[in-house]
């Protein structure tokens, strides 16, 4: 029986010689340090710690050594492998941090950069005009009221003192819905919102109502079967025509410019008594040398709408006590106001949906 091979010298195994181990370690460390990114580091890990790497081969040789030689060689290889794996770990952390930082920079999206690949849409000019008008009233402390465009005949006409045989009914060419016995119309004016408001609320009432209205008008440069009005209604104690005039002057100045005021011409509406047509001062010539003015055609004034003191019969029909309360009301065309404000001669582009027209006026968001 032979004894243990005490004479065995581990240096005889080439892979375990200290210089070999050191150089394998140094090569590995140099490669780790030289790795410029995570992919390169992955390759370094395979080359220098994988199964076929010099240090792994050396590690395997240890097992073949006699026990007394294993300790030394084991320590040497173990330290070398430890140093390499520590360096790998540290380099990995550095490269990961760099990668993350680079991604943050490269993938940053500047949400403030202007993009013009797609044309920006615009809101419809009449929507903007309606909102502008609503804002003027809200700034005065009024509320905005709304009503349906498909309206009861009674609210569109009867409640406003336009009885079934009233001649003014035929002046507003009405779209009737079928069956006629239901007595439902497309509202011909925003005035039914007055009735709705008085029927559901108690004074004081200060409301404005912008909205769509319908009449069987021919479609031409100044008429459309669908157009827009804004209605105003105030019901309170001690209301007079002077409050009406002041409110309309304020609206005119806000819409068309400081100093633009209104004038009243006597007129007739069944729901107001007295009634007036309201004209607004031409904002182009302002009434000076009007003869040459194309906007007002020499008038100095532009027809704007109708108005008056609410007829007590309407107050009664809508449940308001005329002994205690008085009111004023007015209604005017929003499309007309828009045409006037922008010197448009033809209102049809307002209804034809060409985005080039809308965006010229409506790019405000
Ligand atoms: N509703 C009327 C129209 O469409 C306009 C109008 C006139 C409204 C006088 C009013 C008013 O509130 O008081 O012709």
């Amino acid at each position: 029986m032979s004894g243990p091979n005490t004479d065995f010298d581990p240096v005889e195994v080439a892979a375990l010689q200290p210089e070999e181990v050191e150089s394998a370690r140094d090569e590995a460390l140099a490669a780790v340090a030289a790795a410029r990114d995570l992919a390169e580091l992955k390759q370094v890990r395979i080359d220098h710690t994988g199964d076929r790497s010099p240090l792994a081969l050396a590690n395997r040789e240890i097992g073949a050594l006699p026990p007394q030689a294993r300790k030394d060689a084991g320590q040497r290889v173990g330290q070398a492998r430890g140093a390499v794996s520590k360096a790998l770990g540290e380099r990995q952390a550095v490269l990961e941090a760099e990668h993350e930082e680079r991604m943050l920079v490269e993938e940053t999206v500047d949400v403030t950069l202007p993009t013009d690949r797609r044309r920006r849409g615009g809101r419809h000019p009449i929507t903007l005009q309606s909102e502008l008008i609503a804002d003027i009233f809200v700034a005065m402390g009024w509320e905005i009221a709304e009503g349906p465009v498909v309206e009861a005949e009674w609210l569109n006409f009867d409640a406003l003192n336009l009885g079934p045989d009233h001649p003014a009914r035929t002046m507003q060419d009405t779209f009737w819905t079928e069956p006629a016995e239901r007595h439902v119309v497309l509202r011909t004016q925003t005035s039914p919102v007055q009735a709705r408001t008085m029927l559901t609320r108690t004074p004081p009432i200060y409301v404005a109502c912008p909205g769509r209205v319908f009449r069987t008008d021919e479609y031409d440069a100044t008429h459309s079967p669908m157009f827009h009005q804004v209605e105003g209604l105030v019901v309170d104690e001690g209301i007079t025509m002077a409050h009406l005039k002041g409110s309309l002057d304020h609206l005119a100045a806000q819409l068309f410019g400081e100093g633009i005021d209104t004038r009243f011409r006597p007129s007739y509406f069944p729901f107001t008594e007295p009634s007036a047509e309201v004209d607004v001062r031409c904002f182009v010539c302002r009434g000076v040398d009007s003869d040459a003015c194309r906007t007002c055609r020499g008038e100095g004034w532009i027809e704007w709408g109708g108005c008056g003191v609410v007829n007590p019969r309407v107050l009664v029909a809508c449940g308001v006590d005329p002994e205690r309360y008085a009111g004023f009301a007015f209604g005017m065309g929003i499309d007309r106001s828009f045409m006037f404000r922008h010197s448009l001669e033809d209102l049809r582009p307002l209804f034809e949906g060409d985005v080039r027209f809308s965006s010229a006026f409506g790019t405000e968001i």
Side-chain angles (χ1 to χ4, degrees):
M1 199 172 102
S2 60
N5 181 7
T6 47
D7 301 335
F8 182 84
D9 180 356
V11 291
E12 284 171 21
V13 179
L16 289 172
Q17 284 173 10
E19 315 82 65
E20 284 295 321
V21 174
E22 261 169 46
S23 89
R25 181 199 63 196
D26 291 347
E27 258 178 50
L29 293 180
V32 168
R36 282 166 304 179
D37 56 37
L38 290 165
E40 281 187 17
L41 191 66
K42 189 176 175 195
Q43 194 55 48
V44 170
R45 190 184 294 278
I46 293 168
D47 293 345
H48 293 276
T49 65
D51 281 353
R52 286 157 188 270
S53 65
L55 285 174
L57 289 174
N59 198 43
R60 278 207 292 279
E61 296 290 348
I62 296 169
L65 293 179
Q68 72 274 26
R70 279 185 201 156
K71 190 177 168 208
D72 248 16
Q75 255 176 12
R76 202 161 44 243
V77 174
Q79 277 169 3
R81 296 178 80 203
V84 172
S85 104
K86 180 163 175 261
L88 274 169
E90 287 170 1
R91 188 80 189 127
Q92 174 90 15
V94 169
L95 290 176
E96 272 175 7
E98 270 179 25
H99 176 73
E100 205 154 297
E101 206 158 302
R102 203 170 44 243
M103 294 307 269
L104 282 178
V105 173
E106 283 172 4
E107 292 180 4
T108 305
V109 178
D110 183 352
V111 292
T112 64
L113 278 180
T115 85
D116 52 7
R117 261 186 267 158
R118 262 192 241 155
R119 279 217 345 232
R120 269 226 267 167
R123 299 177 66 209
H124 196 274
I126 290 300
T127 308
L128 295 174
Q129 181 81 9
S130 303
E131 285 180 7
L132 174 67
I133 291 172
D135 285 348
I136 294 170
F137 286 109
V138 168
M140 289 197 285
W142 294 33
E143 290 171 62
I144 303 303
E146 282 183 350
V149 292
V150 181
E151 184 59 286
E153 176 190 0
W154 188 83
L155 289 163
N156 193 79
F157 292 122
D158 303 63
L160 300 169
N161 198 30
L162 274 139
D165 303 321
H166 201 291
R169 273 206 188 197
T170 50
M171 283 163 57
Q172 296 192 358
D173 300 315
T174 309
F175 283 110
W176 296 87
T177 67
E178 288 183 346
E181 311 84 77
R182 277 181 62 224
H183 299 286
V184 171
V185 301
L186 296 188
R187 70 179 178 196
T188 59
Q189 48 188 352
T190 41
S191 304
V193 184
Q194 288 188 30
R196 286 179 170 274
T197 306
M198 286 186 274
L199 284 165
T200 51
R201 317 234 331 226
T202 45
I205 292 170
Y206 291 79
V207 293
C209 164
R212 265 179 290 165
V213 300
F214 304 82
R215 291 187 197 175
T216 59
D217 281 335
E218 286 293 333
Y219 185 51
D220 62 25
T222 52
H223 295 89
S224 159
M226 188 280 286
F227 55 103
H228 301 80
Q229 287 186 335
V230 59
E231 192 81 13
L233 172 71
V234 165
V235 181
D236 204 344
E237 290 178 15
I239 290 295
T240 70
M241 202 85 172
H243 298 116
L244 170 62
K245 182 79 166 67
S247 302
L248 290 174
D249 281 349
H250 179 72
L251 179 63
Q254 292 289 305
L255 269 183
F256 304 116
E258 215 38 61
I260 300 292
D261 57 1
T262 62
R263 77 170 179 191
F264 287 170
R265 281 179 292 114
S267 186
Y268 172 76
F269 297 100
F271 30 91
T272 40
E273 181 59 43
S275 302
E277 301 267 354
V278 54
D279 298 340
V280 61
R281 178 62 84 184
C282 174
F283 81 113
V284 175
C285 68
R286 293 184 174 245
V288 179
D289 291 334
S290 305
D291 287 350
C293 181
R294 286 174 54 210
T295 303
C296 63
R297 297 199 172 80
E299 287 293 318
W301 297 92
I302 309 253
E303 280 182 33
W304 202 21
C307 62
V309 171
V310 179
N311 191 321
R313 295 174 67 126
V314 174
L315 295 179
V316 170
C318 298
V320 175
D321 177 4
E323 298 298 324
R324 177 161 177 208
Y325 294 108
F328 70 74
F330 58 84
M332 62 259 309
I334 293 180
D335 319 81
R336 268 188 73 77
S337 302
F338 181 84
M339 287 173 75
F340 172 44
R341 200 162 167 241
H342 293 285
S343 301
L344 280 187
E345 307 236 314
D346 191 332
L347 61 67
R348 281 172 291 195
L350 282 174
F351 303 113
E352 285 174 358
D354 186 330
V355 73
R356 288 167 302 180
F357 173 82
S358 294
S359 51
F361 296 100
T363 42
E364 310 157 37
I365 300 292

